[in-house]
Amino acid sequence: MKLNMSFTALAVVAALAPPALAASQPQEMEKITVTASRMDKPVSAIPNTVTIIDQEALQQQFRTGRDLSAIIGNLAPSFSPSRQKMSNSGETLRGRAPLIMIDGVPQTNPLRSGGRSGQTLDPAMIERIEIIHGANAMHGMGAQGGIINYITRKPGADGEQQVSLDVTVPNKANARGTSFGASYGFSGKTELVDVIGSLGYRNNGIYYDAKDRVIGVDTTQGESMDSQSKDFFIKLGHDFARSRLELMVNHYDMDNNGDWTGVNGDKAQDIPTGAIEQRQPWEAANNEVTTSSLTYNHTNIAGQQLHLQLFNQNFQAVYGGGCFDSFYDPAFEGSDRVTLCGSGKQGENLFYEQSRNKSNKWGLKTTLVAKTVAGLPLDLAYGVDLFRDTTEQDLVVTGMSWVPQSRYDNIAPYAQLDLEPLADLTLSAGVRYEHARLKVDDYKTLWGYGDKQIAGGATDFNETLFNLGASYNLSPSLRLYSSYSQGFGMPDIGRVLRDGKSFPGTAPGIADSVALSPIVTDNLELGAAYQGEYFSAKLAYYHSAADYGARLALNADGFYNVKREKSLVEGIEASLTAYLTDKDDLGMNLALMQGRYDSNDDGRLDTDLDGANISPNRINLFWTHNFDNEMSSRIQANVFLDRDFNKADGREYANFDGYTSIDASLALPLLGGSLSLGIQNLLNEDFYTYHAQTVGTNARYFKGMGRTLNMGFSLAF
């Protein structure tokens, strides 16, 4: 689908003009403070599209499921549909990779993504989710598509405790398809410390499609069905006269049980990938992540606010195994260390193998905020961020290195100005200087990736990033905003280093590979937001370009390689909520986008980005109703629109057959607590997932989940 995005956006902005709004009584814009902005600014002062998913919205979504990717997509439709797997590879925001954080601590692994940054926290620990759409450099590397910041819960009433239970039953009700979860939370305060903590456990059963068939298992990238997850969270804080010190620790484990093995489908014959109850002949995929931060805030140091955050994330992910040409090495022919599993293309004896990714991140974020500088309506935020990531990926059985140990060091000073020359106008400008060094020792690529000896070394990167923005309140209810911002990131370094094709020549080295160069994304945005008594509306047009982007391309074994190419993504985001009565809200969210890349390096954007790099066009509809007896209900529909993907010569190379999925839920008070009932995929729509249709292989041609019933109960005491 081709759209003239610019003219369409301007036309819709014009449609929001005051004459159409005159019947309503205007009210001021919402005053929610966005901590991810580094200045703790209200939404009305940020010249970008911002989505805040508050606790009420989260609880509504939890009634039908706990998949964070699905929840974000339901409320911010420019985010990719959930893959319904342990992996979130290919899930993008506005067609670019977002930076996912927990309380400002990056979860995304910059050197070797691994597609597991969406599985590092139990959703029950989240207070709200802040999403800043579009490229953003204020938190450093990785935010080409925007920022998704999970804000964890804060201490509540002294001595408060809460217990939550939930059960999910598939349409084909049986014991092995039943999933259940439980969490216990506590909060308290003494003269010395306040504390909030929780323990969470979830056991996922087997997933079934709309025809009551077991959904295929992704034994390689990771499978969330037939799995268990555990989460421990604690936050300790102490308030001084003008400052606060806070420690947060979250430990998350997710382990597939390994009791089901995938059965290849046939994409050409429309046969989905299936699964049989058979023990996997390798260690089942798992995730183990510990995130910690020590935060210090002071309200007045020489008239300025100070924010310091020291953080660490220790990440380890084991990926499922398989019989892959990519992992074959003749050195293990006849070895008793390996288990044979078949023959390769040249008749070689393949063996079972799998990989393990390990990453350790340390960082220090510093921010000083000066208000009304020199008595002027000018706010200044400035500071410096320090960051180190050490990553490696090896093979579990043979112990061979797939991605050598790599160290990334980064120092980034920045400054951000906000000026209010008029009462209703906010101008912003910022600069951030990124100095980074990548250090890699000498290594050799796997035999299946060219068996190349690569000379190690260190290579430096320097980028200066800018942002400009303006936000103008035409009235207390209507705001216009526009911005230009740049995002900084690295390609998935691990995928680049492990691929011998990234290093041409007879004596290649780290310093010779242009594929290791940073990604700089330029984001232009024009938007409008209206908040009235009878309805609210938002609209934004964006244009996101990268002269040297990083596209994920699938190889024959189902692994992704990185292609460095020029790319462009542009689109429209819109939302409308009508307050029909004081108890009823009716709304729509819309996301339309198109993306293309330069396939032959001739400077022309000639080929459509595929489903691993861009989201589908979608419309989300919802209706919420609050009853007089504290009951509430929500019905929501996700309408995914058809899309064709064409090559440079106009030939179609993939397509997406859209579908509509409807969810319904109800919450009501019971026994001093709250009981929730939810049905996901109410009409039992039979569909293949977006990722499976657009980039899936016979081994990953997965159906989506059929109708499921969710029941939950929570009690605070």
Side-chain angles (χ1 to χ4, degrees), residues 6-71:
S6 301
F7 288 111
T8 305
L10 291 173
V12 182
V13 170
L16 292 174
L21 312 175
S24 66
Q25 297 298 317
Q27 60 189 45
E28 291 190 0
M29 296 287 183
E30 55 189 339
K31 298 297 185 181
I32 299 171
T33 298
V34 182
T35 59
S37 67
R38 300 294 290 260
M39 266 190 173
D40 291 356
K41 297 194 293 187
V43 174
S44 58
I46 298 177
N48 303 86
T49 299
V50 177
T51 298
I52 304 295
I53 303 175
D54 61 17
Q55 183 62 203
E56 181 181 359
L58 278 173
Q59 292 301 322
Q60 289 176 350
Q61 296 298 316
F62 288 164
R63 298 174 196 167
T64 54
R66 298 280 172 147
D67 185 336
L68 283 174
S69 294
I71 289 171

Side-chain angles (χ1 to χ4, degrees), residues 18 186 236 376 545:
F186 59 91
L236 303 168
L376 299 173

